[in-house]
Amino acid sequence: MPLFIGLMSGTSLDGIDAALVEIPVPTEKDTRCHPRLLAHHAEPMPEPLRDQLWALCHADHASFAALAAAEEAFCRLQAQAVESLLTRSGTANSAITAIGSHGQTIEHAPLGHRGGPPYTLQLDNPSRLAELTGCQVVADFRRRDLAAGGQAAPLAPAFHEAIFRTEDEWLLVLNLGGFANLTLLPPRQDKRPPLGFDTGPANALLDAWHARHCGERFDADGRWAASGRVDEALLERLLAEPFFHLPPPRSTGRELFHLDWLQGRLQGGEAPQDVQASLAELTATSVALGVAMARERLDAPAATALIPCGGGTHNPDLLNRLARHLPETPLVPSEDWGWPADWLEAGAFAWLAWRRLSGLPGNLPAVTGATGARVLGGIYAAS
């Protein structure tokens, strides 16, 4: 059966996730795709490269030389992730149909910037990756949707539909990466497409605030947030951000939600751990607002389950807050649905590579706002 590798590096800049995915060829009797995760590997991000990428993500201007140097280092790290994954799984590179490479998002502006055209920039070099790995590469998944009037994000809801949608259940899938995106899956018998959109920050502000005050990249288990108390006045000021009340399609990122954004809403004198607790509550509250918005738009009942995935699933404090905000909907581990929580996004880009080679659309216009379904990505031959 065809084998694909998906590569994903998120906004946390902590490393590259590589997933080896088997995608059986659909038949006349069963036209659905049933992807299966065979192996996975997390390649840590070296501190110098993380600093390079972080600087580029926050730079008003960057030289082409700086971009090229970061891209080369990032591409080599991707190749190392592929090599480690193939070694761990005992798979030859010749057995891989294609690598689906997302790249590293440097800036995402689907509505443009200061009156300019919409754009999204992922640092990637699929030609170089093909040379380094000897594998065919599919990349540049977002810009075709953007060209068709969409926001180029989120793309994962199409994959959520492929692996989680059932005949008769309403389900929610929540990705808790640097930013959170939500997918509401109607039962297949409903016939309507899924609804998905970004709800706001998940770990991005939590990580940045914790790093500033504690010197570590993330708040392990959410313990620091749990030690504080929610500042209700601060939370109200944070939730006044218009993004939280926009109808979908919508997507966001570091361009809006960053420490300067937070600093502008502090009055001074707040205990750092209380700010952390308020940021955790902001994530949970904005997700709950998103759930209510999605249910209203599709006139949906309470979902049978909410399936959390991404790095935020390792934060018990955050999950407890979500459970309190969504008492009607149990949080069910994605492992119970056949796919580990940490490998959903990497799996999505393996699946998107399969869609591209099969000539099948990879976007959901109801999610991104594109004028129609589009085949996403470019193909870069192994030789």
Side-chain angles (χ1 to χ4, degrees):
M1 293 184 182
L3 300 180
F4 290 80
I5 290 175
L7 298 177
M8 178 66 191
S9 175
T11 51
S12 62
L13 298 175
D14 56 357
I16 294 172
D17 291 339
L20 179 63
V21 179
E22 178 185 75
I23 304 184
V25 178
T27 66
E28 289 185 9
K29 290 184 178 180
D30 187 359
T31 58
R32 288 185 56 197
C33 168
H34 299 274
R36 189 163 69 95
L37 181 65
L38 299 182
H40 50 75
H41 172 72
E43 189 71 29
M45 183 82 70
E47 199 69 31
L49 177 56
R50 185 179 190 273
D51 291 345
Q52 275 183 287
L53 294 172
W54 187 259
L56 289 171
C57 289
H58 294 83
D60 288 332
H61 303 282
S63 71
F64 288 120
L67 285 167
E71 187 176 70
E72 174 68 14
F74 180 77
C75 191
R76 288 187 175 277
L77 191 68
Q78 286 181 302
Q80 179 60 51
V82 170
E83 182 181 347
S84 297
L85 177 64
L86 294 176
T87 300
R88 172 175 293 187
S89 62
T91 306
N93 66 348
S94 59
I96 302 302
T97 302
I99 296 170
S101 174
H102 171 264
Q104 177 64 59
T105 297
I106 298 298
E107 193 162 320
H108 180 67
L111 302 180
H113 180 64
R114 297 178 182 175
Y119 64 92
T120 185
L121 174 63
Q122 283 71 47
L123 196 70
D124 204 4
N125 189 341
S127 297
R128 183 78 168 124
L129 185 59
E131 289 290 335
L132 290 171
T133 61
C135 297
Q136 181 172 228
V137 176
V138 181
D140 189 19
F141 291 99
R142 296 192 183 275
R143 288 193 295 178
R144 185 60 195 272
D145 182 88
L146 197 70
Q151 297 214 1
L155 296 181
F159 184 58
H160 298 162
E161 178 183 27
I163 62 175
F164 292 129
R165 195 171 185 181
T166 69
E167 287 300 320
D168 53 9
E169 293 178 285
W170 287 86
L171 296 173
L172 288 162
V173 185
L174 176 65
N175 179 56
L176 294 166
F179 293 84
N181 59 71
L182 181 74
T183 305
L184 177 58
L185 297 172
R188 290 191 180 278
Q189 61 189 18
D190 185 276
K191 305 298 185 186
R192 287 180 292 176
L195 180 64
F197 51 91
D198 287 356
T199 61
N203 300 311
L205 292 177
L206 286 167
D207 290 350
W209 186 254
H210 186 267
R212 171 178 287 186
H213 290 275
C214 300
E216 298 172 334
R217 286 190 184 180
F218 63 93
D219 182 7
D221 296 329
R223 288 192 294 266
W224 196 45
S227 73
R229 66 169 185 83
V230 175
D231 183 328
E232 296 294 344
L234 171 59
L235 180 62
E236 185 176 348
R237 293 194 296 275
L238 298 176
L239 286 168
E241 172 59 48
F243 173 84
F244 294 120
H245 311 284
L246 289 174
R250 70 185 202 195
S251 57
T252 192
R254 282 182 299 251
E255 297 73 29
L256 173 57
F257 294 107
H258 45 71
L259 283 183
D260 287 345
W261 176 87
L262 171 62
Q263 199 68 48
R265 286 151 181 81
L266 299 179
Q267 293 186 333
E270 294 95 343
Q273 66 269 29
D274 292 347
V275 174
Q276 186 78 350
S278 302
L279 290 174
E281 195 67 14
L282 173 68
T283 294
T285 303
S286 57
V287 168
L289 288 172
V291 170
M293 185 182 294
R295 287 184 58 188
E296 181 180 1
R297 286 180 72 89
L298 292 188
D299 191 23
T304 302
L306 183 147
I307 305 168
C309 55
T313 59
H314 302 291
N315 185 332
D317 175 69
L318 183 54
L319 294 182
N320 288 338
R321 293 176 193 272
L322 285 168
R324 289 198 297 271
H325 278 278
L326 300 167
E328 294 180 294
T329 304
L331 274 62
V332 181
S334 68
E335 287 83 354
D336 292 3
W337 294 82
W339 202 282
D342 289 329
W343 305 101
L344 204 62
E345 282 200 292
F349 285 92
W351 179 81
L352 284 168
W354 168 76
R355 298 283 292 185
R356 175 62 185 90
L357 295 182
S358 302
L360 298 171
N363 65 336
L364 290 174
V367 169
T368 67
T371 55
R374 297 290 187 271
V375 177
L376 306 181
I379 300 171
Y380 300 79
S383 60

